[in-house]
Amino acid sequence: MRNKSSRFAIPYVVWMAIFVVAPIILMVVYSVTSADGDVTAENFTGMGLYLSVFTRSFYLALIATVICLIIGYPVAYAMAKEGPRFQRLAMALIMLPMWINFLLRTYAWMSILENNGLLNQFFRAIGLLRLLGVDHLSLIRTQGAVVLGMVYNYLPFMILPIYSVLVKLDGSLMEAARDLGANGFHVFQKVVLPLSLPGVLSGVTMVFVPSVSTFAISRLLGGGTQMMLGDLIEQQFLGGSYDPHLGAAIAMVMMIVVVVCMAVMNHFGEGEEQAVML
Amino acid sequence: MAKELIRLSDCVVKFDDEIILDRLNLYINDREFLTLLGPSGCGKTTTLRIIGGFLTPTSGDVFFDGQRINDVPPHKRLVNTVFQKYALFPHLNVFENVAFGLRIAKVSNDEVKQRVLEMLEIVNLKGFEKRPISALSGGQQQRVAIARALVNRPKVLLLDEPLGALDMRLRKDMQNELKRIQQELGITFIYVTHDQEEALAMSDTVVVMDGGRIQQIGTPEDIYNEPKNAFVADFIGESNILDGVMRADGVVELFNRRFQCLDGGFAPDEPVDVVIRPEDVDIVSEDQGQLKGVVTQVTFKGVHYDTIVDFSGFKWLIQTTDYCPVGSRIGIKIDPDGIHVMKKSAYSGMFGDYSSYSEEYDEIGDATMEPGGEDSGDEE
Ligand SMILES: Nc1ncnc2c1ncn2[C@@H]1O[C@H](COP(=O)(O)OP(=O)(O)O)[C@@H](O)[C@H]1O
Ligand SMILES: [Mg+2]
């Protein structure tokens, strides 16, 4: 500890050591041992069984992230462009659902999407179901429902970082671009977009990581048909197939894949990141 | 001979009912170096923004080459701007910053390269192509901004206090550079500054502004020698501004004494403002003087002494190479061509009294600029 103020960091360091570093070490230890305590690689070699869960997890998380980006960027852009009153209102609307418990929100989607849920009742009432000659539309227990749940829950984490970068963009840069002959599209393509990449990167990270590891959404909206990594890991610790060693190994692999993805992406956007820190 | 290129006609700009520009009328000739000069907040940037197309006047018209361009967006105008804070693109290096306009215009790669390098050479930044913007000093950034604008070969270059962040010596160098570039490329420059010395040194035409109005338009000599009102006289150089009465053509009364002057055309006994430049006053012995006073303060300025003299309560600034100690009684003489008579205006009585004189005039107005981190090492 070089100076006095760094003493204030002690609680944080202790906290991190107990609740972040220690669990990771435990996880590593668990993943390379068997139930008898022998060191083994079996946990990893047996994982091929779950390849489909891995691919589904990353695939659905990727789709959710892309949709969040497609919706989130224009929203953030519009917010940053409007006046402060609109910004406050939009911010409140985006934050409001986050004050409601995550599970409650997801249960709400269940009752909307169910075979006898609000949407199907609505379709029935307007005669759409009769027109199609079906009893109900299968909305719940599909990949679409899972992706919808992820997008709904994580969209704010895409909007906010992009918004906070865009709102700080120096307006004179856009004027300079227009002065140099750029039309609206060129200004966006050559100035706004590259300068907002750091916000996009952190938005993508903040949506992708929780999406990959989500378990409640896939269980509630996927109805067990769309098992994802989170569910798989949960089963190893709490569920019927109790095997914390395998669970730790799966969690490890997932973590490594995510870290590698993020590292590649951050490397890709490094130049821009520096630029914004100016 | 000189062709009119830009005309602002009765331009009014209001923000929230506050009048920022009040019926501005101004025309700018092709290849002219025109300077908008005035204190901070007088509407210089606003005027440039009208010409650049970033602001549409609340009323009034803008003409370019005879065409009304009120509704032409900035990217379609043959005008480029050097912004007050440069506005360089932080995600691009020096080369790509300068190349920005050419890339938009889809100029071929070879030509981009050739023109950018040529322009970097003109602004003395050869070899800096690969540098990131953040690794440049204020002076270098400023030259990148100039190169980025000029490489597009605009008809008109707008410069908004481009030298404000530079230190004194570099500023002088850059003034000469800019003047040279302007003459070499034959481009119309519309230059904004609050520095009167800079304006006088560089311009063909100076437009003095205050409070959203044009106070005077003229050559630097006109503006200095024949200021139209007390504001212009005070803002351009140093002036003693006195209340006088015009007794007849060529005769003005100051402190109940009549002086010869060269001005005329006033009503008999019309009250006027009289400007006497500090360097136009000769100090003589007390008995030979047209007016007599007591020296109250002397400051050595290198070439001359700033001498404050009290004439029965009204203090004058006199610049003289003769040293007169504080407390000495002196007389002064003023030649007829040293007296300039102006009509009374709203500014009468507000300026030109040195009673509260301090060293204030050394760097008037520089307070608005943040200091730019200047390295002098690699500047030439
Ligand atoms: N967007 C704006 N909204 C309201 N007032 C403004 C705006 N832009 C400039 N002004 C006001 O207009 C006046 C002139 O500004 P400006 O043209 O920037 O002055 P200068 O460049 O001469 O220092 C100032 O009083 C400034 O506060
Ligand atoms: Mg300004």
Side-chain angles (χ1 to χ4, degrees), chain B residues 15-16 18 20 38-47 84 160-161 192:
Chain B
F15 288 125
D16 313 323
E18 194 189 345
I20 303 296
S40 197
C42 72
K44 306 182 296 292
T45 299
T46 306
T47 309
Q84 193 155 5
D160 196 353
E161 313 212 14
V192 162

Side-chain angles (χ1 to χ4, degrees), chain B residues 90-305:
Chain B
H91 58 300
L92 302 175
N93 63 18
V94 170
F95 185 95
E96 286 304 325
N97 259 280
V98 177
F100 192 92
L102 301 178
R103 299 247 189 254
I104 298 270
K106 300 227 163 30
V107 174
S108 76
N109 260 335
D110 289 345
E111 194 185 337
V112 169
K113 189 157 182 211
Q114 180 228 328
R115 277 168 72 175
V116 170
L117 293 181
E118 184 184 287
M119 197 45 73
L120 285 176
E121 186 151 1
I122 289 182
V123 298
N124 285 319
L125 281 178
K126 219 175 146 191
F128 282 73
E129 300 87 56
K130 292 264 146 47
R131 292 259 193 119
I133 293 304
S134 54
L136 299 182
S137 73
Q140 291 162 342
Q141 291 192 10
Q142 191 262 329
R143 281 177 286 168
V144 174
I146 292 173
R148 183 180 70 174
L150 280 177
V151 78
N152 305 293
R153 301 185 181 148
K155 291 277 280 189
V156 181
L157 186 68
L158 311 179
L159 302 102
D160 196 353
E161 313 212 14
L163 308 184
L166 308 189
D167 65 32
M168 194 59 143
R169 217 199 66 214
L170 194 54
R171 198 149 81 196
K172 288 267 174 341
D173 289 347
M174 280 308 300
Q175 286 175 8
N176 295 331
E177 278 297 274
L178 281 176
K179 190 73 194 166
R180 178 182 65 78
I181 291 171
Q182 191 253 341
Q183 282 163 353
E184 212 169 284
L185 302 181
I187 293 176
T188 308
F189 271 37
I190 304 179
Y191 191 95
V192 162
T193 182
H194 60 246
D195 180 343
Q196 45 103 4
E197 256 182 69
E198 194 166 286
L200 296 183
M202 301 173 79
S203 320
D204 300 320
T205 306
V206 178
V207 179
V208 184
M209 295 177 65
D210 185 50
R213 290 204 184 130
I214 293 180
Q215 302 297 330
Q216 187 168 1
I217 305 178
T219 63
E221 289 85 355
D222 282 348
I223 300 273
Y224 189 86
N225 294 328
E226 306 284 334
K228 271 218 180 106
N229 61 35
F231 174 81
V232 179
D234 182 73
F235 197 75
I236 311 291
E238 291 295 314
S239 316
N240 301 291
I241 303 173
L242 314 152
D243 284 330
V245 180
M246 207 62 190
R247 290 304 180 195
D249 279 359
V251 182
V252 63
E253 190 175 295
L254 297 171
F255 296 116
N256 297 320
R257 294 210 41 166
R258 292 182 178 213
F259 286 78
Q260 272 201 327
C261 64
L262 304 178
D263 301 278
F266 294 87
D269 298 333
E270 182 176 335
V272 289
D273 285 335
V274 177
V275 178
I276 297 169
R277 296 287 186 185
E279 69 273 18
D280 290 337
V281 181
D282 292 326
I283 295 190
V284 294
S285 64
E286 195 180 0
D287 48 322
Q288 286 177 347
Q290 292 164 304
L291 289 171
K292 301 172 189 31
V294 183
V295 176
T296 61
Q297 191 183 335
V298 181
T299 315
F300 180 56
K301 289 287 177 180
V303 182
H304 60 259
Y305 294 95

Side-chain angles (χ1 to χ4, degrees), chain A residues 26-41:
Chain A
L26 271 180
M27 190 177 83
V28 174
V29 170
Y30 262 78
S31 68
V32 295
T33 51
S34 67
D36 317 327
D38 304 330
V39 174
T40 171

Side-chain angles (χ1 to χ4, degrees), chain A:
Chain A
M1 299 283 146
R2 262 197 231 120
N3 57 35
K4 274 190 177 164
S5 61
S6 60
R7 280 187 203 162
F8 291 112
I10 291 176
Y12 177 70
V13 171
V14 171
W15 176 273
M16 290 286 283
I18 295 176
F19 293 105
V20 177
V21 179
I24 291 180
I25 292 173
L26 271 180
M27 190 177 83
V28 174
V29 170
Y30 262 78
S31 68
V32 295
T33 51
S34 67
D36 317 327
D38 304 330
V39 174
T40 171
E42 236 168 65
N43 298 322
F44 292 95
T45 50
M47 219 179 282
L49 226 58
Y50 305 109
L51 189 66
S52 64
V53 181
F54 269 91
T55 40
R56 185 186 298 123
S57 276
F58 281 94
Y59 172 68
L60 292 184
L62 188 70
I63 290 181
T65 307
V66 169
I67 293 177
C68 278
L69 185 60
I70 290 171
I71 300 174
Y73 198 104
V75 171
Y77 188 80
M79 271 172 72
K81 264 196 143 178
E82 289 295 327
R85 276 186 56 189
F86 179 84
Q87 289 185 8
R88 271 197 300 274
L89 182 71
M91 191 67 88
L93 285 177
I94 291 168
M95 300 297 287
L96 207 60
M98 291 166 75
W99 294 346
I100 301 165
N101 181 283
F102 168 82
L103 280 175
L104 272 185
R105 279 180 284 157
T106 310
Y107 274 116
W109 272 113
M110 279 177 76
S111 65
I112 293 173
L113 299 176
E114 257 170 328
N115 293 347
N116 269 318
L118 286 176
L119 263 181
N120 270 318
Q121 284 176 24
F122 173 71
F123 289 148
R124 191 167 296 132
I126 62 170
L128 183 72
L129 295 183
R130 194 170 326 126
L131 204 71
L132 296 173
V134 291
D135 174 55
H136 62 264
L137 293 179
S138 315
L139 302 172
I140 204 160
R141 286 183 282 281
T142 59
Q143 291 198 343
V146 177
V147 169
L148 176 75
M150 295 198 283
V151 169
Y152 173 74
N153 277 302
Y154 302 130
L155 186 59
F157 299 112
M158 182 66 83
I159 296 176
L160 295 181
I162 297 177
Y163 163 75
S164 70
V165 169
L166 285 178
V167 83
K168 272 186 265 163
L169 266 195
D170 183 356
S172 69
L173 293 180
M174 294 165 227
E175 284 197 354
R178 284 207 288 151
D179 185 75
L180 293 165
N183 58 24
F185 172 73
H186 281 138
V187 172
F188 179 77
Q189 179 203 18
K190 300 212 166 214
V191 179
V192 178
L193 187 61
L195 287 175
S196 63
L197 269 193
V200 172
L201 286 182
S202 66
V204 165
T205 310
M206 286 168 73
V207 172
F208 185 73
V209 172
S211 296
V212 161
S213 56
T214 183
F215 55 94
I217 294 175
S218 49
R219 201 175 52 212
L220 297 177
L221 297 178
T225 62
Q226 306 296 335
M227 189 193 261
M228 291 181 63
L229 280 175
D231 306 298
L232 186 61
I233 295 169
E234 194 201 12
Q235 276 182 10
Q236 310 310 315
F237 288 94
L238 304 171
S241 54
Y242 181 76
D243 186 355
H245 300 277
L246 177 63
I250 297 171
M252 270 272 290
V253 173
M254 184 180 86
M255 195 175 83
I256 288 167
V257 175
V258 167
V259 167
V260 168
C261 286
M262 292 307 137
V264 168
M265 228 171 50
N266 277 317
H267 180 75
F268 180 65
E270 211 161 53
E272 281 76 14
E273 197 131 14
Q274 274 173 351
V276 165
M277 289 191 307
L278 274 182

